[in-house]
Amino acid sequence: MTTENPPSLTKKVDDVEARAMFAGDAAGPVSLGQYWQGYLNKLRAGDVGSLPAILGLVVLLVVFTIASPGTFLSTFNLANLLTQAGSICVLAMGIGFVLLLGHIDLSAGVIGGVGAGVMAEMLLKGLPWYATVLIALAVGVVMGIFTGVLVSAVGIPSFVVTLATFLAYQGVLLWIIGTGGTVPINNDVIFAVSNGNMPVTLGWIVVIASIAAYAGINLIVYQRRRAANLVTPPLQVILLRIALIAILLLGATFLLSQNRSKGVIVLEGIPWIAPIVGVLLVFWTFVQNRTAFGRHVYAVGGNAEAARRAGIRVGNITIACFVISSAMAVASGIIAASRLSSVTPDAGAGNTLLYAVAAAVIGGTSLFGGKGKARDAIIGGLVIAVIDNGLGLLGLQAYIKYIVTGLVLLLAASVDAISRRRRAGAGR
């Protein structure tokens, strides 16, 4: 039995879903009124997506801007926000694949610490930075395969497996680094990942090219769906999306291109972490939305038994998602190590995992599986970073940050649970 839908069947399914969403029977582009009505129908049915997180992010930005005028939205703090959110977003993107299956990976943060520790030790031995990064990622892949096999083949619940590996990998990291030790990172390339900035000219070129690529892809998809007589959003909506993305990226680039240093040293340009996270976002979005693997992940997360009967190899999908989570955890660990310029025995422990899971859930990824996108990690990661950064600028104590973050996560989980019930009641 084949595991992939024929292209013709896939197009028909997509078209039927689109018609149901837009509440229209006509082929081709729907009207603006039909599109708006379809979106309202989705919201009423509980399919809110990332909307609550986006609205929450806007509210937080307004509140902290009023509370810390001239500081919160300064160019220096804007760059700091991107750096703070970087490692959380990357880790949350990886964990998101596991959450899509309805599983959990409690060891992801510590896996990132082990990967960073391996990289740091290899750098001390004189290996080039790219070789150490590849070795660290390979270690992450091995750990992901180990977890995935225990969950899928042996049948141990992911909570138990990853709790056990969370404890074990802390011991591994202690063994690698040594009790009380700290391994410094002196490599300029690794250091620049979280602390360096793109040249201003290069930053403008990358942003303009990205906007052009985004616009071109959206318009090509619109034209192809229209030519194939498939339901597609109105051209006005597509142009509005492109305009909003362009305004956001160009505005941020303009601010970040200013000299944000008050001293003699010039500090300007987009932090390198921003395009790194952007590339990962585009890649995983493509995997989720445009590949058979991505469709199978959503199918397994929605109903594993139905997916198995349809011929999907659920075990392989499970292992692959844990591998993705572990590899992205190592990437996140490297980013965090770059920011601190060192790796400590407690790297990846503490609140690292909690913040990443919170970011994915706050962004709109469901804890029940089958619902979520890579962009959720970015939105949720920004929410977490804004809360931490904004409360820090107000001089509030650490316990308030934890309480506020916990309440935001609880609110997001409540929205997820309520939305799930409403979708079930609406038959979605």
Side-chain angles (χ1 to χ4, degrees):
M1 182 180 292
T2 180
T3 62
E4 297 184 22
N5 293 326
S8 59
L9 178 59
T10 299
K11 288 184 178 180
K12 289 180 181 179
V13 171
D14 289 344
D15 198 33
V16 170
E17 291 177 348
R19 291 177 191 278
M21 171 185 169
F22 298 130
D25 296 324
V30 299
S31 68
L32 195 58
Q34 287 176 318
Y35 181 86
W36 176 246
Q37 186 59 49
Y39 183 70
L40 291 178
N41 291 340
K42 284 181 59 181
L43 294 181
R44 293 192 189 100
D47 190 2
V48 295
S50 300
L51 181 61
I54 294 174
L55 294 178
L57 180 60
V58 172
V59 171
L60 288 171
L61 291 173
V62 172
V63 169
F64 287 129
T65 299
I66 296 174
S68 303
T71 303
F72 181 72
L73 286 185
S74 64
T75 54
F76 180 83
N77 196 55
L78 178 60
N80 190 39
L81 265 175
L82 295 177
T83 304
Q84 280 183 278
S87 61
I88 298 174
C89 291
V90 172
L91 184 57
M93 270 192 280
I95 291 178
F97 277 87
V98 175
L99 295 178
L100 281 174
L101 299 182
H103 290 296
I104 187 69
D105 188 354
L106 299 177
S107 63
V110 182
I111 287 175
V114 171
V118 170
M119 178 200 69
E121 290 291 344
M122 294 297 102
L123 285 173
L124 289 180
K125 295 182 182 300
L127 270 68
W129 68 268
Y130 52 85
T132 64
V133 170
L134 290 176
I135 292 173
L137 290 174
V139 170
V141 169
V142 171
M143 290 188 284
I145 292 174
F146 177 70
T147 303
V149 168
L150 290 178
V151 172
S152 63
V154 182
I156 306 174
S158 59
F159 180 88
V160 176
V161 173
T162 57
L163 178 60
T165 53
F166 168 79
L167 298 172
Y169 292 150
Q170 287 190 58
V172 172
L173 183 57
L174 282 172
W175 172 62
I176 293 174
I177 295 180
T179 305
T182 298
V183 182
I185 295 179
N186 299 318
N187 184 273
D188 292 338
V189 175
I190 300 298
F191 178 81
V193 170
S194 291
N195 299 288
N197 302 295
M198 303 174 68
V200 173
T201 303
L202 178 60
W204 279 106
I205 292 174
V206 170
V207 168
I208 293 174
S210 299
I211 294 172
Y214 178 79
I217 291 173
N218 276 270
L219 293 175
I220 290 173
V221 170
Y222 168 81
Q223 189 60 38
R224 287 182 176 177
R225 289 187 64 85
R226 184 176 181 180
N229 211 27
L230 298 174
V231 176
T232 184
L235 181 60
Q236 301 98 307
V237 173
I238 295 174
L239 293 177
L240 180 60
R241 290 176 186 168
I242 296 171
L244 289 176
I245 292 294
I247 292 171
L248 181 63
L249 292 181
L250 291 175
T253 303
F254 173 77
L255 292 175
L256 293 171
S257 296
Q258 311 303 312
N259 182 16
R260 46 187 180 270
S261 174
K262 297 181 180 180
V264 179
I265 299 176
V266 176
L267 191 61
E268 60 187 11
I270 300 173
W272 278 109
I273 188 61
I276 291 173
V277 174
V279 169
L280 290 172
L281 172 63
V282 171
F283 176 76
W284 291 123
T285 299
F286 174 81
V287 170
Q288 289 177 343
N289 297 342
R290 299 294 177 181
T291 66
F293 171 77
R295 290 180 181 273
H296 292 172
V297 170
Y298 285 110
V300 173
N303 191 320
E305 183 57 33
R308 183 179 289 106
R309 294 184 179 185
I312 297 175
R313 297 181 178 179
V314 176
N316 290 349
I317 295 295
T318 301
I319 294 173
C321 286
F322 275 101
V323 167
I324 292 172
S325 177
S326 296
M328 291 291 284
V330 170
S332 172
I334 292 173
I335 292 171
S338 168
R339 187 181 178 198
L340 299 175
S341 302
S342 63
V343 180
T344 60
D346 62 346
N351 298 317
T352 303
L353 172 75
L354 302 180
Y355 278 166
V357 174
V361 175
I362 289 171
T365 299
S366 176
L367 287 169
F368 301 100
K371 177 178 173 288
K373 295 182 179 296
R375 70 184 181 204
D376 297 342
I378 306 300
I379 299 171
L382 288 174
V383 170
I384 297 292
V386 166
I387 292 174
D388 186 63
N389 181 276
L391 294 179
L393 290 176
L394 294 177
L396 301 179
Q397 296 184 28
Y399 73 88
I400 297 180
K401 297 181 184 180
Y402 294 140
I403 292 174
V404 172
T405 304
L407 291 175
V408 171
L409 174 57
L410 183 61
L411 178 61
S414 301
V415 170
D416 179 29
I418 295 172
S419 299
R420 184 169 176 263
R421 286 207 306 267
R422 296 187 66 178
R423 288 197 306 272
R428 295 195 176 195

